[in-house]
Amino acid sequence: MRLAGSLQMVLLLALTSRVAGLSIPLEVEQPPTIITHTSGPVIALPIDDFVAIRCEARANPPPQYRWTRDGKDFTPPYVTTNKTGGTFVLHYKHLTQFQGKYRCYAFNKLGTAITEEIELIVPSIPKFPKEDIDQVVVQEGEPIILKCDPPLGVGLMDVQIYWMTVDLQLIEQNDRVSMDVNGNLYFSNALQKDSRQDYSCCVAFSMIRTIIQKTAMAIVVKSSKPDNDSADASDAAEAPPVRIPGLLLPSGVQTEKILLKGRELQLECIPEGVPTPTVKWIKMGDKLPRRTKLKNFGKLLSISAVEERDQGKYMCIANNSAGEAVHYFDVIVEEPPKWLTEPPQSQLTVIGSDVHIKCSVSGKPPPDITWRRNGELFEDDPGSSRRVLDDTVVLHNARPEDSAVYQCEASNTHGRVLANVNIMVTNVAPLILTRDYQEYDVILGDDIIMDCTVFSSPPATITWAKDDDPETIKGERFLSLQNGALQIIGAEKDDSGEYVCAAFNTEGDSALIALLDVKDPTKIVAPPQDVQIISGTTAQLPCQAEYDKTLRSTFEVLWIKDGEEILTSFEEDSRYLVEDGMLQIMKVNLSDQGIYTCIARTSLDEDNATAVLTVLDVPDAPRNIELFELKSPRNVSLFWKPGSDHNSSVTEFIVEYEESQWEPGRWRELQKVPGNQATAELALYGHLNYQFRVYAVNTVGPGPPSEPTERYKTPPAAPDRNPENIKIQGHLPHQMDITWEPLLPIEHNGPGLEYKVSYRKLGVEDNWKDHLVKRHSFVVRNTSTFIPYEIKIQSRNSHGWGPEPKVASGYSGEDVPTAAPQDIAVEVINTTVLRVSWTPVPPATVRGHLGGYNVHWTRKHSLLNPNKIFDNRQSLAFPGKRNHAIVPGLKPFSEYRLTVSVFNKKGNGPNSDPVTFNTPEGVPEQVPVLTASNAQKDSILLVWGPPLEANGILTGYLLQYYLINETTLEVVDSQEMNVTGADTTQWQLHGLQEGSLYRFRLSACTRAGCGPPLAQESNTITPERVEGQQSNFSTQGWVIGTMCAVALLTLVALMACFVRRNKGGKYAGTPPPHQRPDMFSMEKVKEKEDLHPDAESQGMNDDTFCEYSDSDEKPLKGSSLCSLNGNDTVGDSVSRDSLVDYADGGGEFNEDGSFIGEYSGRRHGGSVSEPSGPGPVTA
């Protein structure tokens, strides 16, 4: 209860306080309270090794125990090792002597508590006595009763009673023969068939797994016919005489039936009479309850869980055709004592108050109430302050000595109930039982209860304050509880701190401190997501959580699958691994599919997230494969039942076959079927013994195959098809080789497969020449060279011919061409490129399939040095029918000799008449070396070597030089000059700025233009350096000059050797001086360099890619690309249109304008440069 102005909690106890289930803290002295004991009765079975009778109490000081048996003191023979309890153990071999009623007394200096009486029953091992039982002799139609009389004590154990024969056959029961609830067997009227010697009562004890059997009894039923009736009379057996009904059970006219409320009511009426009577039940003055059931052929009335309203008079009526008999039952429902509301409660009260202990019970008959104090009888004393008034005890002006344990025991004939009531009369200052400085942790937003358990008398007033200020805990979020605790609803961060609980009454006061810490909640920030995973791979389910770092030691991540925790370990064979919250499942299988829950928790809270793991696997094998024949034995239908697709839809089914004749044991694919279809029509080959199987395929892969079908044999038939891929070749000039792809063994359709080869000359012969062969090749000899033929091949076996074959055509063997091209004409396009044309040879002279034309050329000598003979033989092959070609890679200013020949698959024809021609001058190669030396303040000496290949008559050199800003590296000024004289190899450059950086570019020139430049950089010197040089130049000048000359000559020699060894390279030419604009920056220098690409290569067409051939006699080996010697250069005077004019053969070039051929060089090879200059040239 919260009081205005402050949060206070008052423990409201009346002067005589009745607190339900009063629980006094054990720290306070108190009398015993029974907390557990054995409830009676206790039945000791023969299968039990021992019996434990328990009794345990709590008290301060700790209780002691004593026992009574049948009202007398009893010392247990064996007490448990639990020193705080009074439990004792009795072993089975001594149990019989310990039968009786036991009561436990738990006591200390403040009082004594007792238990109800605990009855120990030790039944003997059940068995029937040995006895001689006289046989029962009756006349037919008379009743019979066979007594079972089970052993004493049977009612204490669950039993089942059977009537059986000696050979363990059940006695049949019906409306005439039946058994009552006590096991006795009744015959309403005897028949002769009832006569037998082995009626035996069997009792089964399920608790002790025992069956006992009574001595067998005999029944003799005598016939009701007169003795003088002949046995051979033809009339049938007569029924016994009619007799009015009577009751075998119960006896008399009326029975009183008393039973407890809640038990099952059983009323029995077993009649006798002839014919067998029927039984009817009624409740007099009322209807039978709905819970009524009739059992045992209507002879037993049963009402479950009987109630008080079920009592009254019941009547059973037995009748037959002769009359009826009745019996009355007076049913009385009683009940044992029970508490009307609850047992009387223990009380804590202050000195001087009045104490009332009321024992409110009910029962039928009404219970008698007995009062005890500390286990001793407590009777009324009118002259004292302690009065016993029937069901109530009154303690007037109670004193501390009235503190005790009072017992109320109510009993009637059906049972008893007992209550121990602890009465404590005392005044005591508040005693706070909660630990001081107790720490409480709570998650932000959760509720928290801080305890303040106080024991006091009279009741204490309890108040709470935070940081010594009660005002800080006002508001709806702060609640006081009846037990003194403080509850905070929806804790906030500001609630953390120190709280004080204070308790006070008239006897004194006390206080404690509680510490509260509000923690951040645990939250999963990266939950697992639903995932599909392929079986056999590793599944990863992430689970990242945030939590209060002060709870790090208690934080953990658990994973649960389908409600069961996943146990992870670090063993090698474990498939589960949790690392940083992520669950990894290695080698996933179908059993791993399910719902996975990640639980991130600390000691205070937790969060969870769920994901579904779906395992994808290959489909299961199809089942129930069935084969049905359709139109013919070679046309069948296959049906199957698909297996599970394991979460990935089946995309297709594969039908496989295996046959036992050609490839036994080897399965091959026969047909594919869409995944939504579970049937396939199969066309089969003949003369095979098949079996089939099916497997399914999904996105994961193919599944296992089904079980194979039974063998299915197809009848033989003629072949279904003829050979394919017929090839006609002529390896020799006068024969024709025919090959084909034979039929597969399974396609034979029967034995004796062979092929009929038919051929004839195309357009010449009408009749076919036929040959039967078993192999898949045939050679036609003595043919004319390269003559067209028609060929067809038909398959057959012992059951007939295949279909009519298709006709193929081909040629007989080839031979080398016999004629050479005529009218060879040469047109020099530029310094390195040539156009050659010719008149094609007549087709008849080719004597085979035209392969193309070979162009052969030889460089005889350079026009600069006619005495040096090269004899460099090269060739290019140009495939197809053509009359011209472009020949690249020529050397400028040289004399060449050229021939042309035709070729086919057999080789080259004769060469044409040779043609001799000269190539024009080209631009020179780059100078090999350029050095800048003898730098002065306004001059520099340049020294260079002549180009290794002048490609014409050298006319001089072009010198360009640029003043460079050494900071920005930009061109400040540029100049150029022509150095005339082919023999000039040095130049003193004057008029330069002192102390400046210069870049020099030098190109060699012919009448065709200037070649690619070579660059060098050098600085002029300052006046200071000039003075220093002049002082010692006279002594050192000749040394420096000599060293420079030696270095220059050595460098020239090395460059000459290197170029000779690795001849080739791309050079850039220089346009005439009047075409060059002035340039004043490094960028302009670069642009100028880009204006001088390989001028010779600009004239080359993309069509010049080719193949090399070692000699012009070798045939073309293919169309693979190769390259020419990159050392060849081409003049720069040919425009884009010049090659277009020459390349007028439209059919000889590929789609990209290129042609393919063979190119041979005896000495070197290289790469063909992309033509440059005015623009790319295309044909």
mmCIF file of all heavy atoms in Angstrom, residues 230-251:
data_model
loop_
_atom_site.group_PDB
_atom_site.id
_atom_site.type_symbol
_atom_site.label_atom_id
_atom_site.label_comp_id
_atom_site.label_asym_id
_atom_site.label_seq_id
_atom_site.Cartn_x
_atom_site.Cartn_y
_atom_site.Cartn_z
ATOM 1 N N SER A 230 -35.644 -94.947 -23.463
ATOM 2 C CA SER A 230 -34.580 -95.623 -24.208
ATOM 3 C C SER A 230 -33.646 -94.601 -24.810
ATOM 4 O O SER A 230 -34.049 -93.542 -25.252
ATOM 5 C CB SER A 230 -35.166 -96.511 -25.313
ATOM 6 O OG SER A 230 -35.930 -95.706 -26.198
ATOM 7 N N ALA A 231 -32.397 -95.006 -24.804
ATOM 8 C CA ALA A 231 -31.377 -94.097 -25.344
ATOM 9 C C ALA A 231 -31.459 -93.963 -26.834
ATOM 10 O O ALA A 231 -30.966 -93.022 -27.418
ATOM 11 C CB ALA A 231 -29.985 -94.582 -24.931
ATOM 12 N N ASP A 232 -32.120 -94.975 -27.454
ATOM 13 C CA ASP A 232 -32.153 -94.913 -28.911
ATOM 14 C C ASP A 232 -33.434 -94.291 -29.441
ATOM 15 O O ASP A 232 -33.813 -94.509 -30.566
ATOM 16 C CB ASP A 232 -31.971 -96.317 -29.506
ATOM 17 C CG ASP A 232 -33.035 -97.294 -28.971
ATOM 18 O OD1 ASP A 232 -33.794 -96.868 -28.075
ATOM 19 O OD2 ASP A 232 -33.047 -98.426 -29.471
ATOM 20 N N ALA A 233 -34.166 -93.604 -28.538
ATOM 21 C CA ALA A 233 -35.387 -92.940 -29.010
ATOM 22 C C ALA A 233 -35.034 -91.927 -30.085
ATOM 23 O O ALA A 233 -34.009 -91.281 -30.035
ATOM 24 C CB ALA A 233 -36.100 -92.261 -27.831
ATOM 25 N N SER A 234 -35.935 -91.812 -31.028
ATOM 26 C CA SER A 234 -35.641 -90.940 -32.166
ATOM 27 C C SER A 234 -35.919 -89.480 -31.881
ATOM 28 O O SER A 234 -35.494 -88.617 -32.624
ATOM 29 C CB SER A 234 -36.431 -91.390 -33.396
ATOM 30 O OG SER A 234 -37.823 -91.331 -33.097
ATOM 31 N N ASP A 235 -36.680 -89.232 -30.799
ATOM 32 C CA ASP A 235 -36.986 -87.817 -30.533
ATOM 33 C C ASP A 235 -35.768 -87.094 -29.990
ATOM 34 O O ASP A 235 -34.883 -87.658 -29.358
ATOM 35 C CB ASP A 235 -38.141 -87.711 -29.543
ATOM 36 C CG ASP A 235 -37.864 -88.482 -28.250
ATOM 37 O OD1 ASP A 235 -37.128 -89.521 -28.323
ATOM 38 O OD2 ASP A 235 -38.332 -88.045 -27.214
ATOM 39 N N ALA A 236 -35.688 -85.781 -30.231
ATOM 40 C CA ALA A 236 -34.539 -84.968 -29.824
ATOM 41 C C ALA A 236 -34.533 -84.783 -28.330
ATOM 42 O O ALA A 236 -35.529 -85.028 -27.631
ATOM 43 C CB ALA A 236 -34.582 -83.609 -30.528
ATOM 44 N N ALA A 237 -33.358 -84.277 -27.812
ATOM 45 C CA ALA A 237 -33.207 -84.051 -26.377
ATOM 46 C C ALA A 237 -34.188 -82.980 -25.928
ATOM 47 O O ALA A 237 -34.309 -81.929 -26.548
ATOM 48 C CB ALA A 237 -31.791 -83.648 -26.061
ATOM 49 N N GLU A 238 -34.906 -83.252 -24.831
ATOM 50 C CA GLU A 238 -35.898 -82.312 -24.345
ATOM 51 C C GLU A 238 -35.256 -81.309 -23.404
ATOM 52 O O GLU A 238 -34.292 -81.617 -22.697
ATOM 53 C CB GLU A 238 -37.030 -83.060 -23.621
ATOM 54 C CG GLU A 238 -37.785 -84.013 -24.529
ATOM 55 C CD GLU A 238 -38.895 -84.725 -23.763
ATOM 56 O OE1 GLU A 238 -39.028 -84.432 -22.545
ATOM 57 O OE2 GLU A 238 -39.586 -85.534 -24.365
ATOM 58 N N ALA A 239 -35.802 -80.084 -23.419
ATOM 59 C CA ALA A 239 -35.311 -79.047 -22.510
ATOM 60 C C ALA A 239 -35.744 -79.392 -21.091
ATOM 61 O O ALA A 239 -36.765 -80.067 -20.867
ATOM 62 C CB ALA A 239 -35.878 -77.697 -22.925
ATOM 63 N N PRO A 240 -34.930 -78.911 -20.080
ATOM 64 C CA PRO A 240 -35.321 -79.175 -18.682
ATOM 65 C C PRO A 240 -36.644 -78.490 -18.357
ATOM 66 O O PRO A 240 -37.055 -77.544 -19.042
ATOM 67 C CB PRO A 240 -34.154 -78.585 -17.891
ATOM 68 C CG PRO A 240 -33.481 -77.627 -18.812
ATOM 69 C CD PRO A 240 -33.685 -78.171 -20.182
ATOM 70 N N PRO A 241 -37.306 -78.940 -17.322
ATOM 71 C CA PRO A 241 -38.622 -78.372 -16.989
ATOM 72 C C PRO A 241 -38.509 -76.894 -16.592
ATOM 73 O O PRO A 241 -37.501 -76.453 -16.045
ATOM 74 C CB PRO A 241 -39.076 -79.227 -15.806
ATOM 75 C CG PRO A 241 -37.833 -79.814 -15.251
ATOM 76 C CD PRO A 241 -36.921 -80.012 -16.397
ATOM 77 N N VAL A 242 -39.560 -76.116 -16.895
ATOM 78 C CA VAL A 242 -39.598 -74.697 -16.576
ATOM 79 C C VAL A 242 -39.625 -74.508 -15.072
ATOM 80 O O VAL A 242 -40.328 -75.236 -14.350
ATOM 81 C CB VAL A 242 -40.824 -74.045 -17.244
ATOM 82 C CG1 VAL A 242 -40.966 -72.599 -16.801
ATOM 83 C CG2 VAL A 242 -40.731 -74.152 -18.742
ATOM 84 N N ARG A 243 -38.845 -73.469 -14.597
ATOM 85 C CA ARG A 243 -38.810 -73.188 -13.172
ATOM 86 C C ARG A 243 -38.800 -71.679 -12.995
ATOM 87 O O ARG A 243 -38.086 -70.955 -13.711
ATOM 88 C CB ARG A 243 -37.567 -73.806 -12.538
ATOM 89 C CG ARG A 243 -37.636 -73.795 -10.996
ATOM 90 C CD ARG A 243 -36.491 -74.590 -10.346
ATOM 91 N NE ARG A 243 -35.190 -73.889 -10.443
ATOM 92 C CZ ARG A 243 -34.243 -74.253 -11.272
ATOM 93 N NH1 ARG A 243 -34.406 -75.302 -12.053
ATOM 94 N NH2 ARG A 243 -33.094 -73.593 -11.322
ATOM 95 N N ILE A 244 -39.581 -71.200 -12.050
ATOM 96 C CA ILE A 244 -39.691 -69.750 -11.850
ATOM 97 C C ILE A 244 -38.349 -69.206 -11.377
ATOM 98 O O ILE A 244 -37.547 -69.921 -10.757
ATOM 99 C CB ILE A 244 -40.808 -69.405 -10.845
ATOM 100 C CG1 ILE A 244 -40.492 -70.002 -9.470
ATOM 101 C CG2 ILE A 244 -42.169 -69.881 -11.343
ATOM 102 C CD1 ILE A 244 -41.470 -69.552 -8.396
ATOM 103 N N PRO A 245 -38.044 -67.889 -11.652
ATOM 104 C CA PRO A 245 -36.748 -67.309 -11.285
ATOM 105 C C PRO A 245 -36.555 -67.215 -9.774
ATOM 106 O O PRO A 245 -37.511 -67.118 -9.004
ATOM 107 C CB PRO A 245 -36.796 -65.914 -11.909
ATOM 108 C CG PRO A 245 -37.877 -65.967 -12.933
ATOM 109 C CD PRO A 245 -38.887 -66.945 -12.418
ATOM 110 N N GLY A 246 -35.295 -67.266 -9.402
ATOM 111 C CA GLY A 246 -34.846 -66.975 -8.056
ATOM 112 C C GLY A 246 -33.521 -66.224 -8.158
ATOM 113 O O GLY A 246 -32.955 -66.087 -9.239
ATOM 114 N N LEU A 247 -33.002 -65.713 -7.035
ATOM 115 C CA LEU A 247 -31.751 -64.962 -7.049
ATOM 116 C C LEU A 247 -30.686 -65.758 -6.315
ATOM 117 O O LEU A 247 -30.829 -66.074 -5.124
ATOM 118 C CB LEU A 247 -31.928 -63.590 -6.402
ATOM 119 C CG LEU A 247 -32.764 -62.576 -7.209
ATOM 120 C CD1 LEU A 247 -32.932 -61.286 -6.422
ATOM 121 C CD2 LEU A 247 -32.137 -62.292 -8.561
ATOM 122 N N LEU A 248 -29.632 -66.096 -7.043
ATOM 123 C CA LEU A 248 -28.476 -66.743 -6.416
ATOM 124 C C LEU A 248 -27.666 -65.725 -5.623
ATOM 125 O O LEU A 248 -27.008 -66.068 -4.635
ATOM 126 C CB LEU A 248 -27.606 -67.397 -7.487
ATOM 127 C CG LEU A 248 -28.302 -68.493 -8.340
ATOM 128 C CD1 LEU A 248 -27.364 -68.983 -9.415
ATOM 129 C CD2 LEU A 248 -28.749 -69.643 -7.448
ATOM 130 N N LEU A 249 -27.671 -64.444 -6.099
ATOM 131 C CA LEU A 249 -26.949 -63.357 -5.454
ATOM 132 C C LEU A 249 -27.706 -62.080 -5.755
ATOM 133 O O LEU A 249 -28.065 -61.840 -6.927
ATOM 134 C CB LEU A 249 -25.507 -63.261 -6.001
ATOM 135 C CG LEU A 249 -24.615 -62.201 -5.347
ATOM 136 C CD1 LEU A 249 -24.164 -62.686 -3.975
ATOM 137 C CD2 LEU A 249 -23.388 -61.928 -6.212
ATOM 138 N N PRO A 250 -27.977 -61.258 -4.730
ATOM 139 C CA PRO A 250 -27.726 -61.482 -3.302
ATOM 140 C C PRO A 250 -28.848 -62.317 -2.684
ATOM 141 O O PRO A 250 -29.869 -62.580 -3.337
ATOM 142 C CB PRO A 250 -27.703 -60.068 -2.760
ATOM 143 C CG PRO A 250 -28.628 -59.292 -3.650
ATOM 144 C CD PRO A 250 -28.508 -59.904 -5.006
ATOM 145 N N SER A 251 -28.668 -62.668 -1.450
ATOM 146 C CA SER A 251 -29.684 -63.446 -0.751
ATOM 147 C C SER A 251 -30.662 -62.499 -0.071
ATOM 148 O O SER A 251 -30.366 -61.330 0.149
ATOM 149 C CB SER A 251 -29.017 -64.358 0.278
ATOM 150 O OG SER A 251 -28.296 -63.581 1.221
#
